[in-house]
Amino acid sequence: MATDLVRLSCTSKGTTARASSTWKHDTRKFGPLNALNNNTEDAWKSAQSEESDPLAYFEIDFHRPVQVNELRIQYQGGFVGMDCIVYQKSGDETSDWEECEDLFIDPIDSNEVQTFESEADDATSDKCSALRIEFGRSTDFYGRIVIYSLEVWGTE
């Protein structure tokens, strides 16, 4: 693993985020960028999931090629996204999402920051321009997910 990791998910570097939903459609208070801003008073809060479409997702667009080495996620306990699958885009916005075979997220229901390291070899793995985390379910009865902090660390 690389030793000089930098935080790739900084909005000051042009990184943007979007999500499947936002609580009460209030993106200022609960939008996905709140999970990237490094302020634990803010959070992304998803809306309640519908039985017909329970899948929630969180996307991070770096707008540049990066090498992802780890994710650090702080959920609100009781509102944790589970059964996660990570996808990546290796090109521009027209590229298709491909499952990231080297990054496995298996969170526990906790308020603590959880670190998930990539198993990829830096020398052979592809750079990506965006990440997408799909949540198959939530620990919340109503399917809501709350992320206080989502940091992507790696190299540029």
Side-chain angles (χ1 to χ4, degrees):
M1 181 179 296
T3 56
D4 296 331
L5 300 182
V6 296
R7 189 165 150 238
L8 302 170
S9 52
C10 295
T11 55
S12 63
K13 293 182 178 184
T15 300
T16 58
R18 55 179 252 159
S20 54
S21 65
T22 299
W23 181 250
K24 298 184 178 182
H25 304 287
D26 189 342
T27 56
R28 187 183 65 73
K29 280 186 174 176
F30 307 118
L33 282 176
N34 289 340
L36 303 183
N37 73 7
N38 215 19
N39 179 354
T40 56
E41 298 293 316
D42 296 336
W44 167 60
K45 297 181 181 185
S46 76
Q48 181 173 325
S49 66
E50 302 293 327
E51 275 191 46
S52 61
D53 187 22
L55 187 68
Y57 65 83
F58 191 99
E59 293 178 1
I60 303 168
D61 194 336
F62 303 106
H63 301 284
R64 63 196 187 281
V66 299
Q67 178 68 47
V68 175
N69 291 84
E70 66 183 43
L71 297 179
R72 299 175 191 170
I73 305 174
Q74 183 180 17
Y75 293 96
Q76 178 177 332
F79 297 86
V80 176
M82 305 294 280
D83 299 340
C84 303
I85 300 174
V86 180
Y87 294 90
Q88 66 181 13
K89 279 190 181 184
S90 297
D92 61 18
E93 289 140 12
T94 61
S95 301
D96 291 329
W97 290 105
E98 297 176 9
E99 188 169 346
C100 186
E101 302 288 336
D102 301 318
L103 189 55
F104 182 69
I105 298 177
D106 187 21
I108 58 172
D109 191 354
S110 168
N111 292 328
E112 300 298 318
V113 174
Q114 301 176 55
T115 301
F116 307 99
E117 294 183 4
S118 172
E119 297 174 359
D121 177 8
D122 289 349
T124 60
S125 63
D126 294 330
K127 289 191 171 194
C128 71
S129 59
L131 283 182
R132 176 184 175 113
I133 303 170
E134 290 187 357
F135 307 98
R137 65 183 178 90
S138 168
T139 57
D140 175 53
F141 179 77
Y142 297 103
R144 297 167 293 185
I145 298 170
V146 178
I147 297 178
Y148 285 110
S149 174
L150 196 159
E151 295 180 357
V152 181
W153 289 78
T155 57
E156 297 189 69

